Amino acid sequence: LYTHQAHPGYERVPIAQGDHLHLLYIFWLFSDSVEEGRVPLTDHYEFRDGSPPGFFFQPSLLPILIFLLSPLGLIASYNLLTLLSFVGAGLATHLLLRLEIEDRWAAFAGALVVALFPYRVAQLAGHAFGFLSFLVPLYLYFFERSLRATRRAGWICAAGLTFFFAAAMEFHVVY
C-alpha cells in the first residue's frame, strides 16, 4: 500500500523499468484521457512521427475502477483497489468452493487461503496479476455452473467474458 508520507529510509524509490510502471501508466492513461476529453482507446503520449495516435485497446475493469475512485485521490484509489482485490479473490473462491463444499466455514477457510496466498499478495506490488487473480476462480465457477445447468447460455457467456477480461489485461492469468 502506498502512503502520503514516506517512512524514514524510504524517501527515495528508484524508478526502474518493470510491470509496476506499466500498470500505473495504464491506470493513469485511462483517467487522463477521460479527463482531457480524448478517446480512451488511443495513447497520445507514445512516440510517433507526426502520425495520429496509435490505437491502444487493453480492455480491463481496473482502469475504470481507478477512474471511478479517483475523487479519493490516486493513492487512496490504488489502496482501495488493493483492498478490493482481497475481497474479490475471497468471494470468487468462496463461490467456487461452495459448489462442492456444503460447510460454509470450510469454504470460507479455503477462500481465505486463496485471498491471502503469498504469491498473489506479492504480485500486488505492481503487477496486474495480483489484482486480477480473482478472475481465475470466477471463471472456473462460471464454467462449472455452465456444465451443471440446464440453461447454459448465460453461464457460458459469463465464463467467456471472464476469460476475455482476464486474457485482455494480463495474459499470464489464462495459462
Side-chain angles (χ1 to χ4, degrees), residues 4-147:
H4 291 282
Q5 299 295 327
H7 296 289
Y10 294 97
E11 293 89 4
R12 294 183 180 187
V13 177
I15 296 181
Q17 296 179 15
D19 292 333
H20 59 285
L21 289 179
H22 185 257
L23 181 67
L24 290 175
Y25 178 70
I26 288 176
F27 288 169
W28 173 82
L29 181 63
F30 182 83
S31 296
D32 181 67
S33 295
V34 172
E35 290 168 0
E36 295 294 323
R38 292 189 295 260
V39 178
L41 301 179
T42 58
D43 185 353
H44 290 271
Y45 299 103
E46 71 180 337
F47 178 77
R48 57 187 189 278
D49 56 357
S51 59
F55 183 68
F56 177 77
F57 182 62
Q58 196 167 24
S60 175
L61 302 177
L62 295 179
I64 296 170
L65 285 173
I66 288 285
F67 176 71
L68 293 175
L69 298 171
S70 65
L72 303 172
L74 183 60
I75 294 171
S77 60
Y78 185 88
N79 287 343
L80 189 55
L81 188 63
T82 301
L83 294 174
L84 287 173
S85 76
F86 288 96
V87 175
L91 286 176
T93 305
H94 189 265
L95 284 172
L96 178 63
L97 292 175
R98 287 289 289 159
L99 288 176
E100 294 295 330
I101 301 172
E102 290 186 25
D103 185 12
R104 289 180 193 228
W105 291 106
F108 175 77
L112 197 60
V113 167
V114 171
L116 300 176
F117 189 59
Y119 179 75
R120 191 195 79 78
V121 173
Q123 296 296 317
L124 287 172
H127 198 278
F129 178 74
F131 296 102
L132 297 172
S133 61
F134 77 94
L135 292 174
V136 174
L138 191 62
Y139 166 74
L140 293 173
Y141 170 75
F142 289 144
F143 183 74
E144 182 68 27
R145 289 297 303 256
S146 72
L147 295 176

Side-chain angles (χ1 to χ4, degrees), residues 132 135-136 161-174:
L132 297 172
L135 292 174
V136 174
L161 276 173
T162 305
F163 189 85
F164 170 75
F165 278 114
M169 183 64 184
E170 181 54 51
F171 66 92
H172 296 101
V173 174
V174 298

